[in-house]
Amino acid sequence: MALTVNIQPGDRITLVCRTAKKGKHNVVSDHFSFPTPTGSVSDGTIADIEEYSKALTAQLTNHGLKNVSDVNFCISSSKIATREITIPKVKEKQIQSMINANADDYFPVDMKQYKLTYSILGNEAEESKQKRGEKDKDAAGEKKQAAPQNKKPAGYRILLKAAPKELLNSYVGLAQKMLVHIRIMDSSDNALLQTFASAPIQGSVCYAYIAPERIECTFLSNGSYVMQRSFT
């Protein structure tokens, strides 16, 4: 089984776990944490690559991971902006170009300095149909004849993430210093969302990641994304 080390550098604490691909799923084999060297990480950015790489390499060696070659970085930072949008239903390969064309309208920043990514949350037409079906059930559990309604045009619910290139480049620099290959870089809240995407969740649930710097909350309803919020 191919092993991958997942690392989340925090301003005070760094989280590490090792996963292995087993069938269609990733299985966590072990995990550990260690104090982040003071000043080496600032709001998710690797501020001192030399100092942090020494500490991380030493910890990996102590836990039998000296020869690791592939890593995933999970980034927790208030610098990553999030916005939910709805776009017309197009071919999935056209979504990125559509988002890029309207990026300046989504985020009031210089987008040349940011990396823009997205996740598809769902199909708005299908979700609206499901909600109408739930509302049409009477107390006995039988469906009543639905009144004519104006149908919403089909579209995608999209979760956008805009991360400063300076932030991302600090992880590229860290990987180069450690001579490892980056498989994935993702935000901590989106990683949490993807983890629970296929979980059999019923009702309204809030998952909270509580760190020394901030609290990140992901709200789900019957397994579907509702919103994400962070608090300092």
Side-chain angles (χ1 to χ4, degrees), residues 8-12 41-45 75-80 188-189 208-217 229-232:
Q8 181 170 319
D11 292 13
R12 300 183 186 179
V41 178
S42 177
D43 195 8
T45 299
I75 307 174
S76 177
S77 175
S78 64
K79 297 176 183 177
I80 301 177
S188 57
D189 51 1
Y209 166 63
I210 303 175
E213 303 83 24
R214 71 184 60 80
I215 300 174
E216 298 175 352
C217 297
R229 295 290 185 269
S230 62
F231 311 90
T232 56

Side-chain angles (χ1 to χ4, degrees), residues 8-15 32-37 52 209 212-213:
Q8 181 170 319
D11 292 13
R12 300 183 186 179
I13 300 292
T14 293
L15 307 176
F32 63 91
S33 63
F34 65 91
T36 301
Y52 189 77
Y209 166 63
E213 303 83 24

Side-chain angles (χ1 to χ4, degrees), residues 1-8 14-20 27-34 53-72 178-181:
M1 294 184 293
L3 297 177
T4 301
V5 173
N6 307 277
I7 305 166
Q8 181 170 319
T14 293
L15 307 176
V16 182
C17 75
R18 179 169 56 178
T19 58
V27 179
V28 177
S29 56
D30 52 35
H31 60 88
F32 63 91
S33 63
F34 65 91
S53 64
K54 287 181 180 179
L56 180 55
T57 299
Q59 290 291 331
L60 293 175
T61 300
N62 291 341
H63 289 83
L65 300 173
K66 180 180 180 179
N67 297 320
V68 62
S69 58
D70 291 328
V71 299
N72 294 332
M178 297 178 62
L179 301 178
V180 296
H181 170 252

